[in-house]
């Protein structure tokens, strides 16, 4: 039939109407008669009473109809499981089984029956309902597994954090015990020194007195041996005068000075309250991080590489691939962004100056500056020749931090990779370059942020596949910690695209490849929480981040290769954990 249809449609085999046998304009087919008809005969065929119920279709629909017929289940040729050679023709509602005519006569003739086609329709509907229910159950289980994964990674992070707190408390107690021991020993040493000095003073006094008495004894011995009355009267007078003087009275050596104190060990063991105890947290404390999408907007970009919020509620966004830079404003209830200014400019990274001017890193040897007043882009005074600029960031202390690299291909490293700190006049204050082993700290400083204490955090891109890590720098040209997500999930790559410090000194990192936002503790460099943006917020491919002055988080996204051609921008309310 398919071959016939193709032949008729292509006109390769001319045929005549099988009723009038005159017209060759074949357009219809009667399925019951298996006749090919012209339009005139088709109309007559439908008027004949004996054939008015026949199904007549357009010959162009023969293939489609045949496919539909083939897709229909064969309910006529269902073999009976009891009588060989018999096909089932009815459904016994009493026994809930399909039966043939012999089954009906022998065992089911008094039962409640229904036509096989009708029962198939009802059964198919029930099976479809079963299928939908199973699909919903699978979806719920998948959501549960996703929550378990979130809980697992969250608890693993919590374990690392709490373990570190316990060890820190142990060190604190050790330090306090050592300090107390030191103080006790100092007091004991002081008392010993005081005792030794007291004994020495008493010894010196007693020895001096002894010497004086020995001299007096010699005088008395000499007088007694001379048998001279005058000397006897004189020495008697001297001795009586000496005895009358209280200072010269003989006093034996005093050994009753205050001695050393005795150490009495504490009778109580170190109390748990002095170290700390493990307490169960309620659900609200366990899941204190809270994100809620407020609105989504369309940007007309294929990706939002950077976004920078301005003080007046506007923002700058860009698409590096198409060299498009836009100043936009978001209106509540309006899905498209309102474009205030269009510029053709490449921007690898952007940062806002206190003046409202926009610093732009375009991978050249100097930063560019977009004037708020004139709207023009010019070369700035911040030059790094012959190196090329990468990330740019402005701290709360009005320092400019720039990542730089040598000219040429970004990977592998073939020259200096640095992070340079400048003042507003362009003077270098610090250069981060090599670690304590003389190795380069960075591969490619793609993004930079800083916390309230002006500690610097660098998104270091490791290769062309966007694998990366977060490097926390101290203020003495060294590394505080490195975060790469591998301590939690060794199977998953870490592909950070942007990072942002919060007012509560957490770091949030967008990993667009896995639709995850990491919340990192700045003190230990440990992940406090994973936000699965796709499952929890419906946000896919989070790429760029920024906060406005009200604490609203903005998330710029990318697009899939074969998906939407317009990247979205989300406003997100964050609460419950002091992230802002």
């Amino acid at each position: 039939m398919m071959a016939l249809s193709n032949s008729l449609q292509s006109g390769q085999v001319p045929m005549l109407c099988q009723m009038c046998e005159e017209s060759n304009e074949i357009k219809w087919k009667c399925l019951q008669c298996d006749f090919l008809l012209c339009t005139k005969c088709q109309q007559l065929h439908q008027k004949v009473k004996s054939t008015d119920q026949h199904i007549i279709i357009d010959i162009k629909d023969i293939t489609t109809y045949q496919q539909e017929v083939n897709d229909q289940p064969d309910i006529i040729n269902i073999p009976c499981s009891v009588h060989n050679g018999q096909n089932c023709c009815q459904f016994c509602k009493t026994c809930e089984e399909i039966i043939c005519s012999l089954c009906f006569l022998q065992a089911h003739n008094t039962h409640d029956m229904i036509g096989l086609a009708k029962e198939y329709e009802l059964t198919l509907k029930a099976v479809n309902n079963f299928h939908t229910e199973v699909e919903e159950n699978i979806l719920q289980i998948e959501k549960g597994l996703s929550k378990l994964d979130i809980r697992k990674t969250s608890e693993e992070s919590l374990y690392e954090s709490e373990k570190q707190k316990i060890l820190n408390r142990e060190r604190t107690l050790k330090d306090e015990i050592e300090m107390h021991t030191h103080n006790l020993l100092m007091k004991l040493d002081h008392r010993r020194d005081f005792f030794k000095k007291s004994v020495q003073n008493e010894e010196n006094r007693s020895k001096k007195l002894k010497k004086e008495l020995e001299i007096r004894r010699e005088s008395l011995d000499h007088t007694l041996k001379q048998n001279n009355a005058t000397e006897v009267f004189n020495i008697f007078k001297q001795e009586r005068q000496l005895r009358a003087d209280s200072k010269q009275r003989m006093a034996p050596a005093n050994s009753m000075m205050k001695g050393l104190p005795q150490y009495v060990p504490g009778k109580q063991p170190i109390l748990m309250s002095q170290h700390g105890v493990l307490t169960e947290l309620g659900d609200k404390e366990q899941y204190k991080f809270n994100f809620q999408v407020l609105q989504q907007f369309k940007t007309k970009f294929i990706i939002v590489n950077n976004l920078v919020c301005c003080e007046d509620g506007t923002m700058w966004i860009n698409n590096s691939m198409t060299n498009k830079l836009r100043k936009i404003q978001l209106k509540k209830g309006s899905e498209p962004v309102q474009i205030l200014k269009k510029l053709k400019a490449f921007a690898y990274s952007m940062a806002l100056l206190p003046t409202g001017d926009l610093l732009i890193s375009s991978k050249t040897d100097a930063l560019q500056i977009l004037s708020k007043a004139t709207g023009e882009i010019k070369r700035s005074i911040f030059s790094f020749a012959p190196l090329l600029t990468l990330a740019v960031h402005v701290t709360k202390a009005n320092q400019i931090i720039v990542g730089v690299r040598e000219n040429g291909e970004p990977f592998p490293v073939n020259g200096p990779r640095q992070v340079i700190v400048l003042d507003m006049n362009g003077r270098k204050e610090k250069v981060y370059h090599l670690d304590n082993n003389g190795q380069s700290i960075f591969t490619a400083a793609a993004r930079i942020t800083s916390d309230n204490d002006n500690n610097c955090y660098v998104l270091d891109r490791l290769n062309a596949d966007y694998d990366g890590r977060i490097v926390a720098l101290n203020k003495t040209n060294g590394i505080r910690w490195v975060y790469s997500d591998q301590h939690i999930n060794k199977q998953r790559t870490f592909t950070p695209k942007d990072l942002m410090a919060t007012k509560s000194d957490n770091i949030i990192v967008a990993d667009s490849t896995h639709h995850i936002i990491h919340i990192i503790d700045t003190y230990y460099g440990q992940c406090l929480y994973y936000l699965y943006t796709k499952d929890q917020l419906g946000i896919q491919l989070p790429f760029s981040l920024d906060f406005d002055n009200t604490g609203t988080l903005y998330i710029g996204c990318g697009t899939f290769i074969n998906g939407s051609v317009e990247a979205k921008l989300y406003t997100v309310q964050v609460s419950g954990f002091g992230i802002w």
Side-chain angles (χ1 to χ4, degrees):
M1 186 177 293
M2 185 178 296
L4 176 61
S5 174
N6 291 337
S7 298
L8 289 170
Q9 292 180 55
S10 62
Q12 293 177 354
V13 182
M15 295 185 66
L16 297 177
C17 173
Q18 291 179 293
M19 282 193 67
C20 67
E21 297 183 347
E22 294 179 357
S23 175
N24 61 358
E25 295 182 1
I26 306 299
K27 292 187 177 181
W28 307 94
K29 180 175 181 176
C30 175
L31 298 179
Q32 279 71 24
C33 301
D34 197 22
F35 277 6
L36 297 173
L37 308 172
C38 64
T39 300
K40 182 178 180 181
C41 291
Q42 176 259 346
Q43 294 172 350
L44 291 172
H45 199 66
Q46 288 183 324
K47 292 180 179 180
V48 177
K49 188 172 183 180
S50 60
T51 61
D52 61 352
Q53 299 299 317
H54 287 193
I55 299 174
I56 301 175
I57 62 173
D58 193 310
I59 59 173
K60 293 184 294 184
D61 298 330
I62 291 177
T63 302
T64 303
Y65 180 83
Q66 186 62 43
Q67 184 63 43
E68 291 176 353
V69 170
N70 293 337
D71 291 341
Q72 292 294 322
D74 184 6
I75 61 174
I76 300 176
N77 299 310
I78 302 176
C80 179
S81 60
V82 178
H83 301 98
N84 291 332
Q86 296 292 319
N87 289 331
C88 295
C89 58
Q90 295 186 82
F91 182 84
C92 177
K93 296 179 68 176
T94 304
C95 301
E96 293 189 346
E97 60 182 3
I98 53 177
I99 62 172
C100 68
S101 56
L102 293 179
C103 291
F104 175 76
L105 293 173
Q106 294 175 3
H108 300 272
N109 55 351
T110 61
H111 294 178
D112 188 10
M113 296 291 168
I114 188 173
L116 195 58
K118 181 62 176 177
E119 180 57 31
Y120 173 78
E121 182 181 340
L122 296 174
T123 303
L124 181 62
K125 184 177 180 180
V127 171
N128 281 325
N129 290 337
F130 293 158
H131 181 269
T132 301
E133 183 179 335
V134 169
E135 287 284 355
E136 290 178 353
N137 289 337
I138 291 174
L139 180 61
Q140 292 302 319
I141 290 174
E142 287 177 346
K143 288 182 178 179
L145 290 172
S146 177
K147 289 181 179 179
L148 284 175
D149 186 46
I150 293 171
R151 183 69 185 274
K152 181 172 63 177
T153 53
S154 176
E155 290 298 312
E156 190 65 26
S157 296
L158 181 62
Y159 167 78
E160 294 293 337
S161 176
E162 297 308 305
K163 177 182 177 182
Q164 193 62 47
K165 289 178 183 178
I166 292 172
L167 294 175
N168 288 342
R169 182 58 179 163
E170 179 189 31
R171 284 192 289 269
T172 299
L173 289 174
K174 284 182 178 179
D175 291 343
E176 290 178 356
I177 290 174
E178 288 178 359
M179 180 60 70
H180 184 61
T181 301
H182 176 72
N183 291 336
L184 287 174
L185 291 175
M186 282 187 63
K187 288 181 179 179
L188 188 62
D189 289 344
H190 176 73
R191 290 291 297 275
R192 184 185 66 170
D193 292 342
F194 179 78
F195 175 78
K196 289 172 67 176
K197 186 176 181 180
S198 299
V199 170
Q200 186 65 46
N201 290 338
E202 187 62 24
E203 284 181 347
N204 293 339
R205 187 192 69 81
S206 297
K207 287 179 180 179
K208 181 180 178 182
L209 180 59
K210 179 183 177 184
K211 187 174 182 180
E212 291 175 353
L213 290 172
E214 287 175 345
I215 293 173
R216 287 166 60 189
R217 184 179 64 182
E218 289 179 2
S219 296
L220 289 169
D221 285 343
H222 177 75
T223 300
L224 291 173
K225 289 178 180 180
Q226 292 295 323
N227 198 21
N228 186 317
T230 301
E231 290 185 6
V232 170
F233 282 113
N234 288 337
I235 201 166
F236 173 78
K237 187 177 181 179
Q238 291 175 5
E239 284 294 324
R240 188 172 59 181
Q241 183 64 36
L242 289 173
R243 282 166 172 74
D245 189 352
S246 60
K247 294 182 179 179
Q248 296 298 325
R249 290 178 182 175
M250 186 183 70
N254 180 20
S255 61
M256 300 303 293
M257 67 279 295
K258 193 173 183 180
L260 298 177
Q262 183 181 6
Y263 173 68
V264 180
K267 295 181 179 180
Q268 295 293 332
I270 295 177
L271 299 177
M272 287 189 296
S273 59
Q274 292 177 296
H275 193 300
V277 295
L278 294 173
T279 59
E280 298 295 336
L281 298 178
D283 290 340
K284 291 183 179 179
E285 291 173 296
Q286 286 275 3
Y287 299 101
K288 56 184 178 180
F289 302 101
N290 186 23
F291 292 75
Q292 181 181 358
V293 174
L294 300 177
Q295 196 171 351
Q296 67 178 26
F297 301 87
K298 293 182 178 179
T299 62
K300 297 184 179 180
F301 284 175
I302 58 174
I303 187 171
V304 182
N305 291 98
N306 293 276
L307 64 88
V308 176
C309 295
C310 303
E311 290 295 323
D312 60 1
T314 61
M315 69 176 58
W316 289 98
I317 63 173
N318 85 297
N319 178 7
S320 302
M321 298 175 65
T322 57
N323 294 342
K324 292 180 179 179
L325 178 61
R326 302 285 186 264
K327 188 174 188 179
I328 64 170
Q329 191 164 31
L330 307 181
K331 287 191 174 182
K332 190 174 182 180
S334 174
E335 188 169 294
V337 299
Q338 181 183 2
I339 299 176
L340 304 178
K341 191 175 187 63
K342 292 183 179 181
L343 292 171
K344 188 77 172 177
F346 172 73
Y348 180 77
S349 179
M350 305 188 300
L352 198 67
L353 287 167
T355 59
D357 297 336
L358 188 69
L359 275 180
I360 300 174
S361 168
S362 54
K363 289 188 177 180
T364 58
D365 62 359
L367 295 175
Q368 294 179 302
I369 188 165
L370 194 163
S371 171
K372 179 182 178 182
T374 65
E376 296 180 352
I377 299 177
K378 294 183 178 180
R379 181 184 174 93
S380 74
I381 63 172
F382 308 112
S383 176
F384 305 89
L387 301 177
L388 307 181
T389 63
L390 295 174
V392 60
H393 172 70
V394 178
T395 72
K396 295 179 178 64
N398 294 334
Q399 293 174 312
I400 298 172
I401 307 179
V402 184
V404 297
R405 69 171 178 88
E406 80 286 0
N407 202 344
E409 294 298 321
F411 308 105
V413 177
N414 290 313
R417 304 292 175 101
Q418 302 173 350
V419 168
I420 301 175
V421 182
L422 311 171
D423 65 15
M424 284 294 170
N425 295 316
R427 289 189 293 267
K428 290 184 181 179
E429 295 184 348
K430 194 182 301 293
V431 177
Y432 295 93
H433 182 200
L434 303 177
D435 61 17
N436 294 332
N437 298 318
Q439 301 297 315
S440 178
I441 297 176
F442 312 105
T443 301
R447 294 289 184 270
I448 299 173
T449 191
S450 60
D451 61 20
N452 295 322
D453 294 327
N454 292 313
N455 295 306
C456 183
Y457 305 87
V458 179
L459 191 162
D460 187 28
R461 190 159 293 156
L462 303 177
N463 52 44
D465 294 328
Y466 289 91
D467 293 337
R469 59 182 189 157
I470 308 301
V471 180
L473 302 174
N474 59 30
K475 296 179 181 178
T476 57
N477 302 337
I479 298 175
R480 289 169 51 213
W481 50 257
V482 175
Y483 174 81
S484 61
D485 191 36
Q486 295 300 304
H487 68 289
I488 297 295
N489 194 329
K490 294 181 173 58
Q491 304 300 320
R492 182 173 63 205
T493 58
F494 181 48
T495 54
K497 299 301 192 303
D498 200 3
L499 80 169
M500 178 64 55
T502 70
K503 279 195 173 180
S504 61
D505 283 344
N506 292 318
I507 302 295
I508 59 174
V509 181
D511 182 345
S512 65
T513 303
H514 304 100
H515 318 287
I516 295 176
I517 283 180
H518 302 245
I519 303 175
I520 304 172
D521 170 59
T522 56
Y523 189 80
Y524 300 112
Q526 295 175 346
C527 184
L528 302 176
Y529 187 69
Y530 288 100
L531 176 69
Y532 290 79
T533 59
K534 181 179 178 181
D535 296 333
Q536 295 176 256
L537 300 179
I539 297 177
Q540 301 188 75
L541 304 175
F543 203 95
S544 51
L545 305 166
D546 200 9
F547 283 103
D548 68 8
N549 52 18
T550 68
T552 299
L553 175 63
Y554 292 80
I555 302 178
C557 298
T559 54
F560 292 101
I561 295 177
N562 297 319
S564 171
V565 296
E566 192 163 357
K568 292 182 179 180
L569 175 63
Y570 293 86
T571 57
V572 180
Q573 182 181 28
V574 294
S575 61
F577 58 106
I579 192 170
W580 172 247

